[in-house]
Amino acid sequence: MKNLQWQLKAHPTADETVGVQHFNLVEKEVVAPGPNELLVRTLVLGTSPAQRAYTIENPRFHESLKIGDVMRGRGIGVVEKSNHPDFAVGDWVAGSLGWQQYSIQKIGLGPKGTVDVLSVQKVDDSIRPSSLHLGALGNAGYAALYGMEDVGQVSAGKTVVISAAAGGVGCMAGQIAKAHEARAIGIAGGPDKCDWLCQQAGFDAAIDYKNEDVAEALDRLCPDGIDIFFDNVGGPILDIVLQRLAMGSRVVLCGLIATEYLTERPPGPAYYSELLYKRARMEGYVIWDQVRRYPAFQAKLKAWYDQQLIKPLDDISVGIETVPDALSSLFKGGNTGIRLVRVSEDD
Ligand SMILES: NC(=O)c1ccc[n+]([C@@H]2O[C@H](COP(=O)([O-])OP(=O)(O)OC[C@H]3O[C@@H](n4cnc5c(N)ncnc54)[C@H](OP(=O)(O)O)[C@@H]3O)[C@@H](O)[C@H]2O)c1
């Protein structure tokens, strides 16, 4: 059997968007799993702006890939061969499968002899399609849920503003805010994304930051201030929102896509003094720190999904060939919803 995989060809320079030019598509033979190993066929791969950090030469908090390494990426797969007693052929697993059709997964042992948290983990294959385990009931949902509940402390009646709202985490954050009966206002690039936010994702209002005056729109839509700002972007939009915080508000620092890859440090935020005047709190988080809570996050999201309070808003391309373009689309606003890649069909 053949295995198509994307290997790193060149590190993007500091100001370069990662794309297909940085990878080689290589055909390899599928190898047999060794002791305590599984052969896993990839079903679906996720994307995240954070993946760019794996490809650059000196990332700040990820381990860098070397030229020729298989590109790292989280996915859902099905076990094709198992040399580990806890996994059977046909089981679905989640983990770092990489940008490839097949992978060998070594199962490590945790402190109590259970499957180590860094190994692939079994997922419930009654929750279908498999894309749900990366999207609404997976990583996008987990990042949105933890940020909105634990960090943002959302509750009914609060005014919530979300940046990059038509992206994967953003559209889940808005749906979760609505499930809590809060008011959700999204900021996104372009009229089509804003219509989609209100008509498909259930937001109360949307602001097109590319064509509208964001400050004027927030003054109109949030006359009593903003209780929770769920920020995926940073930069100038953060400064505009800081000036409009309500008393006792929270700024949830989920992502920094507007500033993370600048070659020079950005000047702001100029209005961080508002955190003091408004007795507000700004807090960042990394969802991986909560990996042991993933099953509880999924159970909560699944209950909302069954009640039709949240829905999967996926933006899926088909074929392993499409993964580099899927990742680079995030930096160009080319996605609407949760950007995923279908690599092979669910059985
Ligand atoms: N803290 C965590 O644990 C955690 C976990 C997952 C993701 N994240 C972060 O959450 C954010 C969203 O991730 P995602 O995977 O769901 O990606 P995404 O939102 O689906 O894709 C990124 C979106 O950001 C917007 N964007 C790109 N460049 C921008 C810029 N310069 N200014 C303003 N908006 C820009 C684009 O939408 P427009 O067309 O609207 O511009 C694009 O669609 C990212 O910052 C990511 O790093 C954090």
Side-chain angles (χ1 to χ4, degrees), residues 315-330:
D315 185 347
I316 303 191
S317 58
V318 178
I320 189 76
E321 297 81 0
T322 67
V323 208
D325 285 341
L327 177 58
S328 73
S329 74
L330 303 179

Side-chain angles (χ1 to χ4, degrees), residues 49 167-169 188-189 193 209 232-233 254-257 285-287 330 333 335:
V169 176
K193 286 194 178 185
Y209 77 93
N232 289 308
V233 165
C254 176
L256 296 157
I257 200 162
Y285 66 99
V286 173
I287 196 58
L330 303 179
N335 64 310

Side-chain angles (χ1 to χ4, degrees), residues 134-156:
L134 291 176
L137 309 186
N139 273 55
Y142 304 160
L145 181 67
Y146 181 78
M148 200 48 91
E149 289 193 344
D150 290 70
V151 185
Q153 297 174 7
V154 67
S155 60

